[in-house]
Amino acid sequence: ESLGNRTIFFWRDGFSSGPLPLPKPFGRFDVVAVKIFGQYKLWFSTKSSHYNNDVELYHNPPLIFDILEDPGESNPLDPTKYVEMIESARTQVEEHKASVDWTYPLC
């Protein structure tokens, strides 16, 4: 597998739920997006910024962007055309979360 095609997981703090314990004042951490198949980025949740208490927005189906054609991520793709990719990304996110050693210090 080339580095360009590997899956990259984007973690974000400030969530009301997530697998990591609540580190005050930042909120829980969770996977918010996945870069998959080299050119696509799927956003499962969004939030305005770090370290604030606005509510996160979950996307089902996720927002999908072709980051080679749309690097500014301003034009979401039609999720009905990417059903298999969405399912693959969801499976990879769950497997990734299950593989993390939550007892290991993150700092």
Side-chain angles (χ1 to χ4, degrees), residues 73-91:
E73 300 176 20
S74 58
N75 298 299
L77 301 174
D78 179 357
T80 63
K81 296 180 180 178
Y82 298 91
V83 173
E84 288 182 28
M85 182 175 65
I86 292 169
E87 290 308 312
S88 175
R90 284 189 173 131
T91 299

Side-chain angles (χ1 to χ4, degrees), residues 10-31:
F10 296 83
W11 287 83
R12 180 91 187 261
D13 60 337
F15 284 81
S16 59
S17 65
L20 279 178
L22 184 64
K24 294 184 180 181
F26 308 122
R28 294 183 179 273
F29 285 74
D30 205 349
V31 173

Side-chain angles (χ1 to χ4, degrees), residues 22-72:
L22 184 64
K24 294 184 180 181
F26 308 122
R28 294 183 179 273
F29 285 74
D30 205 349
V31 173
V32 295
V34 172
K35 179 183 160 285
I36 192 168
F37 302 125
Q39 74 185 70
Y40 297 102
K41 190 171 179 184
L42 288 71
W43 284 92
F44 294 99
S45 55
T46 53
K47 189 171 169 43
S48 66
S49 69
H50 296 281
Y51 315 129
N52 64 19
N53 60 359
D54 68 323
V55 178
E56 61 269 13
L57 178 61
Y58 291 95
H59 304 286
N60 187 15
L63 301 175
I64 305 170
F65 298 95
D66 181 330
I67 58 175
L68 297 180
E69 296 293 322
D70 178 21

